Amino acid sequence: MRRTLDAEEGRLDAVVAKMTGEARADVQRAIAAGKVHVDGEPRSKSFRLRGGERLSIEIVGDEPLAPEGPSVPIRYEDEHLVVIVKPAGVLTHPTAGRRGGTLVNRLLGMGVPLAPAGGPLRPGIVHRLDAGTSGLMVVAKTDEAYAGLRSMFRNHDVQRVYLALVRGAVADDSFAVDAPLGRRAAKIVVDATGGRCAETGFEVRERLEGATLLEAFPRTGRTHQIRVHLAAIGHPILGDRAYGGGGDDARRIGLERPFLHAWRLSFAHPLDPERVEIEEDLPEDLATALSRSR
């Protein structure tokens, strides 16, 4: 099956992997085999997209995804979209190498219709949370809502607020980190020369002994953005072993995953005059860790 998509800005293989949910290695093989075209022409995997080009992509593995349980909590729903709470430990959507055990499978198991425009592996998905991150997500049920929400995320018109417990005493009550991000092997790193722009605002919510509870406001939506920005300023998220937040202080409060929770979601409904504003309390594991920190 061949699909056509409007490109986002960035390197061709990275953009295709992000937009289709395919593994990057699989995307690179498809590009090498001439199965990915940019405005009708085959390009190399490192070709730089400006955004808005027409991508033609041959997708493999389009068999229907399996509905699975258990269900996830719903905090808002209408005919066009649904706001859910993603549990920690659950991938947002399937990939070519893993077609089950994801949020998409659970939503299908709940009978939630998902916008086909997202593609066979990412139906309805307009943004993602890392597997280890819990909290609020909006998912499109119709293609009209999908298009509207994608545009809003692209234009930074969706407000997302996260809670993060970080190591150490943060000096300023309010600050921002503006540092471009790129990929190095399997990790995301600050890359001042070849990275994509990334900016996150932060405000101190509570100061604790040896730790600080922050509210994080991502102004762009790069992979691992909050986690890498906090690690870069010497305050990694507690429990985040990938970016320096593991160790005795995380184990002492019982953290088995990064203390990062999508706490607040606010946006203008793309097809309705109302505004959707939802908050979600910390899940039990993070609430317990925070209590132990106090």
Side-chain angles (χ1 to χ4, degrees):
M1 175 181 176
R2 184 166 284 277
R3 295 172 54 203
T4 56
L5 301 168
D6 290 328
E8 299 179 0
E9 179 187 0
R11 181 175 152 134
L12 179 59
D13 57 351
V15 169
V16 173
K18 177 182 178 182
M19 296 183 72
T20 64
E22 299 278 357
R24 192 159 176 174
D26 292 337
V27 169
Q28 291 174 344
R29 282 191 286 269
I31 292 172
K35 296 181 178 180
V36 178
H37 292 175
V38 180
D39 291 333
E41 298 291 335
R43 299 291 186 181
S44 70
K45 64 183 180 181
S46 59
F47 181 78
R48 297 296 300 184
L49 296 163
R50 298 185 304 273
E53 296 94 338
R54 197 67 171 164
L55 300 180
S56 176
I57 308 163
E58 186 173 336
I59 301 295
V60 298
D62 283 341
E63 63 271 15
L65 297 173
E68 297 178 4
S71 62
V72 297
I74 291 176
R75 296 296 182 249
Y76 174 92
E77 184 175 16
D78 61 24
E79 62 182 310
H80 296 292
L81 56 86
V82 59
V83 177
I84 57 87
V85 182
K86 188 190 86 67
V90 177
L91 290 175
T92 296
H93 60 77
T95 66
R98 176 174 177 174
R99 301 185 62 83
T102 74
L103 175 66
V104 165
N105 298 101
R106 292 193 184 194
L107 290 171
L108 292 173
M110 296 164 62
V112 176
L114 300 175
L121 298 180
R122 295 181 57 176
I125 300 301
V126 294
H127 68 124
R128 290 181 288 183
L129 294 179
D130 296 339
T133 301
S134 57
L136 295 168
M137 286 185 60
V138 57
V139 179
K141 296 170 66 176
T142 65
D143 285 351
E144 294 82 2
Y146 180 87
L149 288 167
R150 287 282 292 176
S151 176
M152 292 164 62
F153 273 98
R154 191 160 46 244
N155 295 323
H156 314 302
D157 292 330
V158 178
Q159 184 190 50
R160 293 168 292 160
V161 186
Y162 293 72
L163 293 178
L165 185 66
V166 304
R167 177 178 292 143
V170 174
D172 297 321
D173 291 337
S174 179
F175 61 100
V177 178
D178 186 354
L181 301 179
R183 185 179 293 274
R184 185 176 300 160
K187 295 182 70 174
I188 306 299
V189 298
V190 171
D191 183 352
T193 56
R196 301 177 68 189
C197 65
E199 184 178 2
T200 313
F202 296 97
E203 291 183 4
V204 172
R205 181 158 173 164
E206 184 177 353
R207 296 185 182 278
L208 305 162
E209 184 176 352
T212 307
L213 182 64
L214 297 173
E215 292 186 5
F217 308 85
R219 297 167 186 164
T220 50
R222 309 303 181 204
T223 301
H224 298 181
Q225 176 175 312
I226 298 172
R227 299 164 61 189
V228 177
H229 275 174
L230 286 168
I233 63 170
H235 296 288
I237 296 174
L238 287 174
D240 191 354
R241 292 188 291 272
Y243 294 105
D248 291 342
D249 47 359
R251 287 190 290 270
R252 176 176 54 83
I253 57 177
L255 278 175
E256 299 294 332
R257 51 111 168 180
F259 193 118
L260 186 62
H261 177 69
W263 165 69
R264 191 171 192 273
L265 188 64
S266 177
F267 58 94
H269 195 294
L271 297 166
D272 193 278
E274 74 173 308
R275 186 167 186 86
V276 180
E277 297 185 351
I278 302 174
E279 296 178 359
E280 180 66 22
D281 290 340
L282 288 172
E284 184 177 357
D285 65 329
L286 299 189
T288 298
L290 182 59
S291 178
R292 289 172 177 169
S293 295
R294 291 171 173 152

PDB file of all heavy atoms in Angstrom, residues 75 136 262-265 277-281:
ATOM      1  N   ARG A  75     -11.051  10.982  30.110  1.00  0.00           N
ATOM      2  CA  ARG A  75     -11.358  12.204  30.847  1.00  0.00           C
ATOM      3  C   ARG A  75     -12.246  13.174  30.055  1.00  0.00           C
ATOM      4  O   ARG A  75     -12.842  14.077  30.619  1.00  0.00           O
ATOM      5  CB  ARG A  75     -10.055  12.910  31.240  1.00  0.00           C
ATOM      6  CG  ARG A  75      -9.202  12.104  32.207  1.00  0.00           C
ATOM      7  CD  ARG A  75      -9.914  11.917  33.534  1.00  0.00           C
ATOM      8  NE  ARG A  75      -9.100  11.189  34.506  1.00  0.00           N
ATOM      9  CZ  ARG A  75      -9.369   9.968  34.931  1.00  0.00           C
ATOM     10  NH1 ARG A  75     -10.441   9.324  34.455  1.00  0.00           N
ATOM     11  NH2 ARG A  75      -8.588   9.374  35.819  1.00  0.00           N
ATOM     12  N   LEU A 136      -1.959  12.795  30.431  1.00  0.00           N
ATOM     13  CA  LEU A 136      -3.026  13.138  29.501  1.00  0.00           C
ATOM     14  C   LEU A 136      -2.547  13.167  28.050  1.00  0.00           C
ATOM     15  O   LEU A 136      -1.489  13.712  27.743  1.00  0.00           O
ATOM     16  CB  LEU A 136      -3.602  14.506  29.859  1.00  0.00           C
ATOM     17  CG  LEU A 136      -4.313  14.586  31.215  1.00  0.00           C
ATOM     18  CD1 LEU A 136      -4.580  16.039  31.584  1.00  0.00           C
ATOM     19  CD2 LEU A 136      -5.617  13.789  31.191  1.00  0.00           C
ATOM     20  N   ALA A 262       2.296  13.959  32.468  1.00  0.00           N
ATOM     21  CA  ALA A 262       1.574  14.984  31.710  1.00  0.00           C
ATOM     22  C   ALA A 262       0.329  15.372  32.503  1.00  0.00           C
ATOM     23  O   ALA A 262      -0.706  14.722  32.423  1.00  0.00           O
ATOM     24  CB  ALA A 262       1.204  14.454  30.330  1.00  0.00           C
ATOM     25  N   TRP A 263       0.460  16.452  33.245  1.00  0.00           N
ATOM     26  CA  TRP A 263      -0.511  16.820  34.275  1.00  0.00           C
ATOM     27  C   TRP A 263      -1.667  17.658  33.747  1.00  0.00           C
ATOM     28  O   TRP A 263      -2.805  17.519  34.180  1.00  0.00           O
ATOM     29  CB  TRP A 263       0.229  17.589  35.380  1.00  0.00           C
ATOM     30  CG  TRP A 263      -0.652  18.336  36.322  1.00  0.00           C
ATOM     31  CD1 TRP A 263      -1.497  17.793  37.248  1.00  0.00           C
ATOM     32  CD2 TRP A 263      -0.783  19.752  36.456  1.00  0.00           C
ATOM     33  NE1 TRP A 263      -2.144  18.786  37.947  1.00  0.00           N
ATOM     34  CE2 TRP A 263      -1.715  19.999  37.473  1.00  0.00           C
ATOM     35  CE3 TRP A 263      -0.179  20.837  35.812  1.00  0.00           C
ATOM     36  CZ2 TRP A 263      -2.077  21.286  37.860  1.00  0.00           C
ATOM     37  CZ3 TRP A 263      -0.534  22.116  36.195  1.00  0.00           C
ATOM     38  CH2 TRP A 263      -1.477  22.335  37.206  1.00  0.00           C
ATOM     39  N   ARG A 264      -1.392  18.538  32.783  1.00  0.00           N
ATOM     40  CA  ARG A 264      -2.434  19.450  32.300  1.00  0.00           C
ATOM     41  C   ARG A 264      -2.410  19.517  30.779  1.00  0.00           C
ATOM     42  O   ARG A 264      -1.355  19.572  30.157  1.00  0.00           O
ATOM     43  CB  ARG A 264      -2.242  20.856  32.885  1.00  0.00           C
ATOM     44  CG  ARG A 264      -3.404  21.804  32.652  1.00  0.00           C
ATOM     45  CD  ARG A 264      -3.223  23.099  33.466  1.00  0.00           C
ATOM     46  NE  ARG A 264      -4.440  23.896  33.470  1.00  0.00           N
ATOM     47  CZ  ARG A 264      -4.752  24.802  32.527  1.00  0.00           C
ATOM     48  NH1 ARG A 264      -3.925  25.029  31.530  1.00  0.00           N
ATOM     49  NH2 ARG A 264      -5.883  25.471  32.591  1.00  0.00           N
ATOM     50  N   LEU A 265      -3.633  19.551  30.192  1.00  0.00           N
ATOM     51  CA  LEU A 265      -3.780  19.655  28.755  1.00  0.00           C
ATOM     52  C   LEU A 265      -4.868  20.677  28.470  1.00  0.00           C
ATOM     53  O   LEU A 265      -5.969  20.594  29.015  1.00  0.00           O
ATOM     54  CB  LEU A 265      -4.161  18.292  28.174  1.00  0.00           C
ATOM     55  CG  LEU A 265      -4.189  18.127  26.653  1.00  0.00           C
ATOM     56  CD1 LEU A 265      -2.798  18.317  26.069  1.00  0.00           C
ATOM     57  CD2 LEU A 265      -4.735  16.749  26.284  1.00  0.00           C
ATOM     58  N   GLU A 277     -10.014  21.887  28.770  1.00  0.00           N
ATOM     59  CA  GLU A 277      -8.968  22.077  29.774  1.00  0.00           C
ATOM     60  C   GLU A 277      -9.116  20.987  30.829  1.00  0.00           C
ATOM     61  O   GLU A 277     -10.139  20.918  31.507  1.00  0.00           O
ATOM     62  CB  GLU A 277      -9.062  23.465  30.415  1.00  0.00           C
ATOM     63  CG  GLU A 277      -8.843  24.607  29.430  1.00  0.00           C
ATOM     64  CD  GLU A 277      -8.830  25.966  30.110  1.00  0.00           C
ATOM     65  OE1 GLU A 277      -9.164  26.033  31.307  1.00  0.00           O
ATOM     66  OE2 GLU A 277      -8.474  26.955  29.439  1.00  0.00           O
ATOM     67  N   ILE A 278      -8.105  20.155  30.973  1.00  0.00           N
ATOM     68  CA  ILE A 278      -8.188  18.990  31.850  1.00  0.00           C
ATOM     69  C   ILE A 278      -6.906  18.875  32.657  1.00  0.00           C
ATOM     70  O   ILE A 278      -5.808  19.135  32.150  1.00  0.00           O
ATOM     71  CB  ILE A 278      -8.409  17.697  31.027  1.00  0.00           C
ATOM     72  CG1 ILE A 278      -9.683  17.826  30.185  1.00  0.00           C
ATOM     73  CG2 ILE A 278      -8.500  16.479  31.939  1.00  0.00           C
ATOM     74  CD1 ILE A 278      -9.906  16.678  29.235  1.00  0.00           C
ATOM     75  N   GLU A 279      -7.055  18.500  33.917  1.00  0.00           N
ATOM     76  CA  GLU A 279      -5.914  18.211  34.783  1.00  0.00           C
ATOM     77  C   GLU A 279      -6.033  16.797  35.318  1.00  0.00           C
ATOM     78  O   GLU A 279      -7.143  16.293  35.525  1.00  0.00           O
ATOM     79  CB  GLU A 279      -5.860  19.218  35.939  1.00  0.00           C
ATOM     80  CG  GLU A 279      -5.628  20.648  35.492  1.00  0.00           C
ATOM     81  CD  GLU A 279      -5.618  21.641  36.644  1.00  0.00           C
ATOM     82  OE1 GLU A 279      -5.815  21.189  37.810  1.00  0.00           O
ATOM     83  OE2 GLU A 279      -5.424  22.841  36.399  1.00  0.00           O
ATOM     84  N   GLU A 280      -4.892  16.165  35.528  1.00  0.00           N
ATOM     85  CA  GLU A 280      -4.861  14.783  35.994  1.00  0.00           C
ATOM     86  C   GLU A 280      -3.856  14.643  37.127  1.00  0.00           C
ATOM     87  O   GLU A 280      -2.670  14.947  36.965  1.00  0.00           O
ATOM     88  CB  GLU A 280      -4.476  13.843  34.846  1.00  0.00           C
ATOM     89  CG  GLU A 280      -4.405  12.374  35.214  1.00  0.00           C
ATOM     90  CD  GLU A 280      -5.759  11.783  35.584  1.00  0.00           C
ATOM     91  OE1 GLU A 280      -6.802  12.348  35.184  1.00  0.00           O
ATOM     92  OE2 GLU A 280      -5.771  10.742  36.279  1.00  0.00           O
ATOM     93  N   ASP A 281      -4.329  14.206  38.296  1.00  0.00           N
ATOM     94  CA  ASP A 281      -3.462  14.045  39.457  1.00  0.00           C
ATOM     95  C   ASP A 281      -2.360  13.021  39.191  1.00  0.00           C
ATOM     96  O   ASP A 281      -2.464  12.174  38.290  1.00  0.00           O
ATOM     97  CB  ASP A 281      -4.283  13.592  40.669  1.00  0.00           C
ATOM     98  CG  ASP A 281      -5.206  14.674  41.190  1.00  0.00           C
ATOM     99  OD1 ASP A 281      -4.961  15.860  40.888  1.00  0.00           O
ATOM    100  OD2 ASP A 281      -6.191  14.337  41.878  1.00  0.00           O
TER     101      ASP A 281
END
